[in-house]
Amino acid sequence: MMVAGIASLAFFNWQPEMQTFPDGTEVEMRLTEALNKLRLDRGLQPLTSSADLTFIARRHSKDMATRKLQ
């Protein structure tokens, strides 16, 4: 399975100071680590990242932010 971009960070007690990372890379990394910990705790396989899907998700997120969409 794959994870790309930034999912609902509120679920992981997202900290506002994380907004300081300009490209979101560290937030994505922390989210993937948190998701994989939960998955492993439940006996599920870990997720892997996809450069292509990450690129698409980032572009889509930027478009939504630019147009102020949710």
Side-chain angles (χ1 to χ4, degrees), residues 29-60:
M29 181 183 72
R30 289 180 187 183
L31 176 62
T32 301
E33 288 173 359
L35 283 169
N36 281 338
K37 183 181 180 322
L38 289 172
R39 292 179 61 81
L40 291 172
D41 289 348
R42 289 165 176 76
L44 301 170
Q45 294 292 317
L47 301 173
T48 58
S49 295
S50 163
D52 291 338
L53 291 177
T54 298
F55 174 79
I56 292 166
R58 286 178 181 170
R59 187 177 60 193
H60 179 63

Side-chain angles (χ1 to χ4, degrees), residues 4-6 28 52-70:
I6 301 173
E28 292 167 353
D52 291 338
L53 291 177
T54 298
F55 174 79
I56 292 166
R58 286 178 181 170
R59 187 177 60 193
H60 179 63
S61 293
K62 183 176 180 179
D63 177 59
M64 289 186 352
T66 300
R67 295 188 299 140
K68 298 185 181 187
L69 300 176
Q70 296 180 358

